[in-house]
């Protein structure tokens, strides 16, 4: 138990430090690398909570896909991050005030948190205990049976997001050379090679 | 087989979802050449879905652990929405040809948006509510910006998207507060918890945020800012679509949330509705006076009409809900008819959309001017046209619920609103004619004639319509 506690503080402290470095490091590539570190540490926190599946998904999806995409974008686009962050110090007191207010609110809310019995009765869930069933199985059971309607609806929403992005941005530019595989395969020596007889010493 | 039969209530939605994907595939492989057949296929999908909706009968059936509910109310609203979407697609043919906007994605997105509306109407818990709403809104954002080469269309889409995302955020925040303070997302369970008397302040906060999010979708004041710009910037058939289905679906959702999840704290949400209703009616009436663009005018007109419709919900009675349902039916017909006229404002050098272009229309095209006059009289609420009865029912419900100030302000602001409707009529009949319009297209003519007949003949057909609306409203008060 104490070991788990120690790991919790290790992960949490690294997470906060990495999060701070994401917004404060000068080099955008470093910022993305710190972001990846933050993702790994939150995955560690999930493992401590017994949510292995979420932890692995976080690593695969966020680190494997999203953060790597960020990294590519940051490396390819020439964004002047120093200029973007020019007002950072100026707005720091303002942001800090908001952060402190939020913190006080959280403490007030959590400090006086009382769950009435009716509410806890509403929120009880019929899912089998974690000891009897693996994480992945429990999520799958819920997602594909009880919540299948929501799952399908979310799928359609993502499809629309894709259709929308393509509709609004795809342009067929003139003069862009595209690969036409059928054309390449159908080439024969007769259509692509021209044989010239060159006289010695005369050139073409 | 029995398991499949259990899902009969969701067949209309399934038809739209699968049909939209089929449309998408057809659009991808056949390219832009087949837009007209694709559009007709979408209209066919709406017809099939409407048929399936009408075929369902009987009391409330719920599916997916109560997330999805079907009763007389959802059936009525779904048919209304499907009619709105189908007519909006039919009216778009001429315009899309005119501005070279024949895109295969247009029918696909309209079908997906309509699917979202049907899901909103049937939503019976907070997640279903949000998913339906987001499905609809996301499609609408894209449709608004569909005309990529037009600055105004892109601006409309962007504005709609940013403000819509903000309103979704408020809605979600409200939902999370409600969930936190009741421990459930399902409307009946929330109602049961609230009825036990533990109404925390946080719950009221959640309700307010939820209502703000929904008020944005029906463009009620003070969440209306996007409406005039989006209506003006979006391509005109898209504006007609915006004014029809989404309003009806969002209103149905608002009615269901308030009456199903929060019936026992009626006084809490009644005051919000009274405020929203008064603000929408007055702003809709006064702000429309200065407008020169007919699409902006219709935007303010729809803001005002949503205010009038909300009076029925503020009454909180079965009669009030019957009034809103009838109001929405009549509003849908009047709006689609008016947009059929706006879509016919076409000269040889393109579409025009200022009110001055209508000047002297009666000299060139008397039938169109006459039909538009009937629709405008009806929008203003002049008896014996349909618009009068729409207002009559909601005002009656308000008076019977004892909301005299609301009813009086409603009548006064409808008198103010009558000014600008009558002003257009004066312009059409008594002013020096502007240039002549191109002849009206067949499909627009059909929509206009149907709307005109409905508006004039409402007295003849009102009995079955009112019976249907009453049974729909009864489903919410069992």
């Amino acid at each position: 138990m104490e070991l788990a506690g120690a790991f919790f503080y290790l992960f949490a402290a690294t997470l906060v430090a990495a999060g701070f470095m994401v917004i404060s490091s000068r080099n955008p590539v470093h910022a993305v690398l710190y972001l990846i570190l933050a993702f790994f540490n939150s995955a560690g926190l999930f493992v401590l909570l017994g949510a292995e599946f979420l932890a692995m998904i976080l690593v695969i999806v966020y680190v494997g896909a999203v953060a790597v995409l960020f990294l590519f974008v940051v490396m390819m686009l020439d964004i002047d991050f120093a200029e973007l962050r020019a007002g950072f110090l100026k707005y720091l007191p303002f942001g800090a005030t908001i952060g402190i207010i939020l913190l006080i609110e959280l403490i007030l809310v959590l400090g006086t948190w009382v769950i009435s019995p009716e509410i806890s009765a509403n929120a009880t869930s019929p899912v089998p205990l974690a000891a009897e069933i693996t994480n992945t199985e429990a999520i799958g059971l819920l997602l594909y049976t009880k919540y299948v309607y929501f799952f399908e609806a979310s799928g359609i929403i993502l499809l629309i997001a894709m259709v929308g992005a393509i509709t609004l941005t795809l342009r067929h530019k003139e003069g862009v050379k595209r690969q036409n595989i059928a054309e390449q395969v159908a080439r024969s020596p007769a259509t692509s090679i021209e044989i010239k007889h060159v006289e010695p010493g005369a050139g073409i | 087989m029995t398991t499949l039969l259990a899902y009969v209530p969701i067949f209309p939605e399934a038809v739209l979802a699968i049909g939209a994907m089929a449309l998408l595939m057809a659009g991808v492989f056949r390219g832009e050449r087949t837009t007209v057949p694709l559009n007709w296929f979408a209209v066919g999908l709406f017809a099939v879905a409407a048929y399936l909706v009408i075929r369902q009968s009987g009391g409330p059936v719920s599916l997916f652990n109560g997330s999805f509910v079907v009763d007389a109310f959802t059936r009525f609203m779904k048919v209304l929405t499907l009619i709105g979407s189908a007519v909006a697609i039919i009216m778009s043919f001429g315009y899309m040809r005119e501005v070279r906007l024949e895109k295969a994605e247009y029918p696909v997105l309209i079908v997906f948006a309509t699917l979202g509306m049907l899901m909103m109407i049937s939503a019976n818990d907070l997640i279903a509510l949000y998913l339906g709403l987001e499905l609809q809104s996301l499609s609408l954002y894209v449709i608004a910006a569909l005309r990529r080469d037009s600055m105004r269309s892109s601006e409309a889409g962007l504005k709609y998207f940013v403000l819509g995302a903000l309103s979704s955020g408020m809605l979600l925040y409200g939902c999370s507060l409600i969930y936190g303070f009741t421990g459930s997302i399902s409307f009946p369970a929330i109602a049961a918890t609230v009825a036990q008397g533990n109404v925390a302040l946080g719950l009221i906060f959640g309700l307010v945020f939820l209502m703000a999010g929904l008020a944005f979708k029906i463009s009620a004041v003070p969440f209306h800012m996007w409406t005039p710009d989006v209506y003006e910037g979006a391509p005109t058939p898209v504006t007609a679509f915006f004014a029809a289905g989404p309003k009806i679906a969002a209103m149905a959702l608002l009615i269901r949330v308030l009456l199903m999840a929060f019936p026992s704290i009626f006084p809490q949400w009644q005051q919000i509705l009274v405020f929203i209703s008064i603000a929408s009616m007055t702003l809709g009436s006064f702000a429309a006076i200065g407008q020169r663009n007919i699409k902006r005018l219709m935007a303010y007109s729809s803001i005002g009409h949503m205010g009038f419709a909300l009076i029925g919900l503020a009454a909180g009675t079965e009669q009030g809900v019957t009034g809103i349902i009838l109001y929405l039916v009549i509003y849908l017909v009047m709006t689609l008819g008016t947009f059929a006229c706006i879509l016919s404002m076409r000269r040889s050098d393109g579409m025009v959309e200022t009110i001055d272009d209508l000047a002297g229309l009666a000299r060139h095209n008397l039938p169109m001017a006459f039909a538009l006059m009937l629709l405008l009289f009806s929008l203003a609420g002049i008896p014996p046209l349909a618009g009068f009865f729409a207002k009559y029912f909601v005002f009656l419900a308000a008076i019977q619920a004892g909301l005299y100030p609301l009813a009086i302000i409603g009548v006064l602001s409808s008198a103010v609103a009558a000014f600008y409707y009558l002003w257009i009529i004066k312009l059409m009949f008594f002013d020096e004619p502007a240039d002549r319009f191109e002849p009206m297209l067949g499909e627009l003519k059909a929509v206009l004639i149907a709307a005109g007949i409905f508006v004039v003949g409402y007295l003849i057909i009102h009995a079955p319509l009112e019976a249907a609306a009453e049974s729909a409203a009864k489903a919410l008060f069992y």
Side-chain angles (χ1 to χ4, degrees):
Chain A
M1 209 57 223
E2 272 150 23
L3 192 64
F7 269 106
F8 170 78
Y9 284 110
L10 174 70
F11 286 139
T14 324
L15 177 60
V16 173
F20 184 75
M21 289 308 285
V22 170
I23 53 167
S24 63
S25 61
R26 292 212 158 271
N27 187 330
V29 177
H30 291 178
V32 177
L33 291 175
Y34 277 116
L35 190 65
I36 294 176
L37 181 64
F39 283 142
F40 267 111
N41 280 288
S42 18
L45 288 177
F46 272 129
V47 171
L48 288 183
L49 286 172
E52 325 70 76
F53 182 70
L54 279 185
M56 296 310 140
I57 284 291
L58 194 73
V59 171
I60 294 170
V61 175
Y62 279 85
V63 178
V66 177
V68 171
L69 193 72
F70 271 6
L71 206 54
F72 276 127
V73 170
V74 165
M75 286 201 261
M76 285 204 292
L77 295 184
D78 184 24
I79 303 171
D80 192 353
F81 281 88
E83 192 186 319
L84 276 182
R85 220 177 303 117
F88 182 67
L89 271 183
K90 202 167 65 181
Y91 296 118
L92 192 61
F94 185 64
T97 321
I98 291 182
I100 289 166
I101 291 174
L102 277 179
L103 183 69
I104 293 171
E105 279 178 350
L106 269 180
I107 291 169
L108 284 179
V109 165
L110 292 180
T112 58
W113 187 260
V114 185
I115 299 175
S116 73
E118 297 92 350
I119 293 172
S120 24
N122 276 340
T124 47
S125 95
V127 179
L129 289 174
E132 298 164 17
I133 192 171
T134 65
N135 239 283
T136 322
E137 212 175 340
I139 291 179
L141 268 180
L142 273 183
L143 209 56
Y144 295 101
T145 56
K146 193 177 174 193
Y147 295 129
V148 66
Y149 176 60
F150 305 147
F151 185 68
E152 296 292 335
S154 322
I156 297 178
I157 292 177
L158 291 179
L159 175 67
I160 292 177
M162 201 167 81
V163 172
I166 294 173
T167 313
L168 294 182
T169 55
L170 182 69
R171 281 164 210 275
H172 290 288
K173 277 187 200 151
E174 298 296 322
V176 175
K177 290 187 175 164
R178 286 203 168 77
Q179 188 180 20
N180 187 344
I181 295 172
E183 205 172 82
Q184 289 176 338
V185 171
R187 269 157 70 101
S188 66
T191 59
S192 46
I193 302 176
E194 198 180 341
I195 297 172
K196 296 247 182 190
H197 290 286
V198 184
E199 293 292 319
I204 301 174
Chain B
M1 206 51 211
T2 45
T3 42
L4 190 61
L5 280 179
Y7 292 99
V8 166
I10 205 172
F11 274 9
E13 283 78 4
V15 164
L16 288 190
I18 295 167
M21 290 176 214
L23 268 176
L24 192 60
M25 295 314 284
V28 168
F29 286 111
R30 300 282 303 148
E32 320 281 281
R33 287 159 292 171
T34 48
T35 353
V36 172
L38 289 184
N39 276 315
W40 280 113
F41 184 73
V43 175
L45 280 178
F46 292 142
V48 172
Y51 172 73
L52 289 173
V53 170
I54 294 168
R55 277 284 305 277
Q56 302 164 346
S57 57
V61 186
S62 62
L63 277 181
F64 305 112
N65 300 300
S67 308
F68 183 90
V69 71
V70 167
D71 56 27
F73 178 72
T74 63
R75 279 198 290 278
F76 194 97
M77 290 310 210
K78 280 182 185 178
V79 171
L80 211 55
T81 315
L82 288 166
I83 292 174
S85 301
V87 173
I89 285 198
I90 292 174
M91 290 204 303
S92 70
F93 290 139
Y95 181 92
M96 294 307 191
R97 217 176 308 126
E98 174 89 21
V99 301
R100 316 212 129 274
L101 198 63
E102 290 153 313
K103 282 188 180 235
E105 288 89 353
Y106 176 67
V108 175
L109 288 168
I110 297 249
V111 174
F112 274 129
T114 313
L115 171 66
M117 293 175 214
L118 298 198
M119 286 170 58
M120 281 159 74
I121 293 171
S122 271
N124 202 31
D125 70 25
L126 294 174
I127 300 183
L129 174 155
Y130 176 69
L131 287 176
L133 199 69
E134 207 54 18
L135 181 54
Q136 178 234 35
S137 316
L138 206 56
S139 317
L140 295 187
Y141 303 147
V142 181
I143 303 176
L146 202 62
R147 208 174 157 186
R148 292 191 308 196
D149 47 358
S150 149
M151 191 75 164
R152 285 196 310 168
S153 175
S154 307
E155 186 197 326
L158 194 63
K159 214 172 246 178
Y160 194 20
F161 175 68
V162 171
L163 290 173
L166 185 73
S167 85
S168 286
M170 289 200 286
L171 187 107
L172 275 180
Y173 185 51
C175 289
S176 70
L177 279 175
I178 292 170
Y179 175 60
F181 281 96
T182 57
S184 179
I185 52 166
S186 131
F187 292 171
I190 293 174
T193 313
V194 175
Q196 282 164 2
N198 43 3
V199 185
L201 190 62
L203 181 72
I204 309 287
F205 261 90
L207 179 63
V208 171
F209 276 109
L210 183 75
M211 286 177 74
L214 289 175
F216 177 89
K217 301 292 172 195
I218 58 171
S219 71
V221 180
F223 306 100
H224 66 284
M225 295 78 69
W226 59 279
T227 322
D229 293 337
V230 172
Y231 272 42
E232 189 188 355
T236 316
V238 173
T239 312
F241 176 62
F242 280 7
K247 294 281 169 70
I248 291 168
M251 193 62 109
L253 186 57
L254 185 63
I255 295 172
R256 181 172 286 280
V257 173
L258 292 180
L259 291 177
M260 285 307 193
F262 303 99
S264 47
I265 49 170
F266 170 62
Q268 309 281 354
W269 50 262
Q270 189 193 25
Q271 29 180 315
I272 305 174
L273 280 181
V274 168
F275 168 73
I276 290 180
S277 173
I278 290 178
S280 307
M281 287 187 299
T282 41
L283 185 119
S285 311
F286 282 99
I289 292 173
Q291 301 306 322
R292 286 288 166 275
N293 182 305
I294 190 141
K295 280 156 82 181
R296 282 188 90 85
L297 184 105
M298 286 306 287
Y300 284 107
S301 159
S302 94
I303 293 172
H305 281 292
M306 286 301 123
F308 288 118
L310 282 175
I311 295 179
L313 189 54
T317 56
E318 195 179 316
Q319 203 188 11
V321 175
T322 314
I324 309 182
I325 297 173
L326 287 172
Y327 202 104
L328 290 177
V329 175
I330 295 168
Y331 165 79
L332 176 75
V333 175
M334 294 187 302
T335 308
L336 290 176
T338 315
F339 271 101
C341 286
I342 297 176
L343 281 165
S344 305
M345 293 168 60
R346 192 166 54 94
R347 299 226 174 90
S348 48
D349 54 345
M351 308 288 299
V352 289
E353 47 193 47
T354 66
I355 293 171
D356 294 328
D357 289 310
L358 280 169
L361 182 65
R363 307 259 186 97
H364 297 313
N365 191 345
L366 186 61
M368 179 176 157
F370 186 71
L372 186 54
M373 180 193 77
L374 284 176
L375 288 168
L376 291 171
F377 271 140
S378 176
L379 281 167
I382 289 170
L385 300 172
F388 166 73
F389 293 99
K391 291 200 170 81
Y392 171 75
F393 284 119
V394 290
F395 288 150
L396 198 66
I399 287 169
Q400 282 176 351
L403 296 169
Y404 299 108
L406 186 60
I408 291 168
I409 295 174
V411 172
L412 290 179
S413 57
S414 89
V416 175
F419 165 75
Y420 59 83
Y421 294 124
L422 293 177
W423 178 58
I424 300 177
I425 294 172
K426 174 237 161 204
L427 208 66
M428 286 195 303
F429 280 86
F430 303 112
D431 277 20
E432 277 307 305
D435 292 338
R436 167 188 291 280
F437 293 137
E438 299 278 292
M440 227 175 157
L441 296 170
E443 62 264 18
L444 296 178
K445 222 180 259 178
V447 172
L448 184 58
I449 291 171
I453 290 175
F454 178 90
V455 165
V456 176
Y458 181 76
L459 267 181
I460 302 163
I461 55 165
H462 76 290
L465 197 60
E466 276 159 28
E470 263 165 33
S471 69
K474 204 164 276 161
L476 293 175
F477 292 90
Y478 49 81

